Structure formats: C-alpha cells, structure tokens
Amino acid sequence: MSTLGSKHLWPLLTVGLVILVSLGGCIIPRGQRYQNFTVSTPLRQNQILVLGFMGGREPWDNEKRNVRKLALKLRSMNDPTICVETVENKKRFLAIELINNAFDKDHDGILDERERSSVRLIVYGQSFGGAAVVKLARQLKKMEVPIALTVQIDSVGRNDSIIPDNVIRAANLFQRNGWFIKGEPEIRAGDPARTLILGNFEFDYSNKNIDISGVSIMKKAFRVAHTKMEYDQQVWDKVESLILDTIQQLR
C-alpha cells in the first residue's frame, strides 16, 4: 500500500510544484518597469531631468528612503522645469531609456548632436545607488551624453572613484566609521579640465546621534555608520543644495 501510495503521490507533488512556481511567477514582484515613470517625454525646452538611484534592494517607490523622499520634495516645489524620477540601482537600462526618450525631440530613436547638446541631466544615488551613478555616467559617455551633476552618497561599488569626462560637476558624500561598509573616500576627475569636483564631504558618526530605531537588527549590527548616514538629514540637505545650485546654473 505504501509503495502504491508513493507512485500516486509523486505525480501529485510534481503537479503541485509546477502550480506553485507558476503562481509564484504571477505574484512575485518583477520590480520597476518603464511604465512606472511619470515624466512626459520628450521634455520641453529647458526642462531638467533629475534621477535618483535607490540603495540596496530598495524598490523605486519606497517613500521611507531619503533618495525617494528628496525626489518627492523636489516634485513638491511644483517647478515646471524640474522633472524627477527614482530608479532601482539595477535598472540602469530603464534610466537610459528614459534619458533617450526625454531628449529625443524628433522621435527618431537616437540622440543626435543637437539633442545631446540640449541634455540637462542631474543624477544622484545612495549606497549601491551611488555606484550606479558612476556606472550610468560611463554608459552615457559612450553615447556622448553630458551630465550636469553627479552626487554619490556613501557610494558602495567597484571602481566608482573616477568620474568620466562627460560629467561637468561631481560631488561625493561619505563616511569611514563603518566596520564593514565604508563609502568611497575620494572621487577624482578622469579629465580635470572637463569635470569639476565640488568636494569629497566626509561625515563623522563616531559620536553623532542619529535615530535609527526603526531599522532592522542587521543594519544596526553590521551597517551602523552606513545606516546613520542614510538617515542623517544634514546629508540630504547638502545633496538638495548641490542639486538646486546646479539647477540654477542650468537656467
């Protein structure tokens, strides 16, 4: 009886597993899609596109994270010249698609020399999002697309210290108090004649009290300084100031 039961049980288990996997494919979030962007493209003349890259595995619309909070704050200014979106750090291809559509005035699918010269783009990102900023800049360099400003916040990645020469201005905010995670301490211009480094701004959390009571135990145990910087309002006030200053220069 037990042997006969096993013969009948395995097909049922197999079918059940297939159903679960199929259902899982339907209910597991696929992450950000292009349709999630709200910016109307192409942009009008003199409009500025600001992109913020989320850290870690954070979804693009997580309003608890300061990358998203800053984006929403910039939107709340109701300035028709400022268009803001947030992007998951592994979805750079979506950012490139948006940039192409935003500045492709003649809808031919490519950015010609005239269109590239009209690009007004600002990019910022935190943690892995900071590394994504530099990776995106390198991709856009190959496309000969300029970036008015890049801002890295406690950037965590490989080879994210050299800023390509299609970036006009760049800034880096970091901490070095973390045991396991420390931000990039110094960014440098690939070509100092074309890129101005506004500063490498260090934040010290050895004695600074930042409320991180709402974060996970893992972050408190292994990413204390990195997490404190993420929740430090002074950091985001500085990022906002850098962005608004560049926007003023672009007008």
Side-chain angles (χ1 to χ4, degrees), residues 16-197:
L17 181 60
V18 170
I19 292 173
L20 285 173
V21 170
S22 300
L23 288 175
C26 294
I27 63 176
I28 294 175
R30 295 178 58 185
Q32 186 174 18
R33 302 182 185 184
Y34 187 85
Q35 290 79 3
N36 297 132
F37 292 135
T38 60
V39 169
S40 297
T41 60
L43 300 188
R44 298 191 302 274
Q45 186 175 4
N46 297 326
Q47 281 191 307
I48 301 161
L49 181 60
V50 182
L51 297 180
F53 278 103
M54 306 293 287
R57 298 180 180 178
E58 296 299 334
W60 62 276
D61 58 349
N62 188 338
E63 296 183 11
K64 294 181 179 180
R65 296 290 182 256
N66 276 304
V67 169
R68 182 68 178 174
K69 284 182 179 180
L70 177 55
L72 296 177
K73 183 177 182 181
L74 293 172
R75 280 184 183 177
S76 71
M77 295 169 59
N78 294 319
D79 186 328
T81 65
I82 303 175
C83 304
V84 192
E85 295 287 357
T86 49
V87 189
E88 293 169 8
N89 62 69
K90 292 189 179 295
K91 299 292 181 73
R92 295 194 311 278
F93 65 93
L94 292 180
I96 290 176
E97 184 178 357
L98 177 60
I99 292 165
N100 267 315
N101 291 338
F103 299 101
D104 181 17
K105 307 295 185 183
D106 57 11
H107 302 278
D108 67 352
I110 60 173
L111 297 180
D112 58 33
E113 183 177 354
R114 178 181 57 83
E115 290 167 337
R116 293 195 300 271
S117 67
S118 72
V119 170
R120 288 170 170 79
L121 176 63
I122 293 172
V123 190
Y124 70 100
Q126 185 262 339
S127 188
F128 284 115
V133 166
V134 183
K135 291 176 182 177
L136 178 72
R138 293 193 185 111
Q139 289 176 279
L140 293 179
K141 177 182 177 180
K142 294 178 181 178
M143 299 166 57
E144 299 182 0
V145 172
I147 305 177
L149 172 71
T150 60
V151 183
Q152 297 160 248
I153 305 103
D154 222 25
S155 181
V156 178
R158 295 181 179 179
N159 305 316
D160 53 359
S161 61
I162 305 300
I163 307 303
D165 59 18
N166 61 318
V167 177
I168 299 171
R169 290 153 50 102
N172 179 45
L173 291 71
F174 69 98
Q175 57 78 27
R176 300 297 289 174
N177 303 112
W179 292 349
F180 300 103
I181 300 180
K182 301 178 182 180
E184 177 61 51
E186 181 183 9
I187 59 170
R188 303 184 302 280
D191 183 351
R194 300 185 63 179
T195 303
L196 173 64
I197 303 298

Side-chain angles (χ1 to χ4, degrees), residues 66 126 152-155 172-179 181-183 201-212 220 223-239:
N66 276 304
Q126 185 262 339
Q152 297 160 248
I153 305 103
D154 222 25
S155 181
N172 179 45
L173 291 71
F174 69 98
Q175 57 78 27
R176 300 297 289 174
N177 303 112
W179 292 349
I181 300 180
K182 301 178 182 180
F201 305 100
E202 182 173 6
F203 289 76
D204 184 7
Y205 295 98
S206 55
N207 295 303
K208 191 170 186 179
N209 184 28
I210 302 292
D211 182 15
I212 57 172
K220 292 177 183 177
R223 294 184 273 175
V224 178
H226 187 64
T227 302
K228 283 186 175 182
M229 187 167 187
E230 180 184 356
Y231 286 87
D232 185 351
Q233 189 55 48
Q234 288 186 348
V235 168
W236 296 98
D237 288 346
K238 180 66 176 178
V239 176

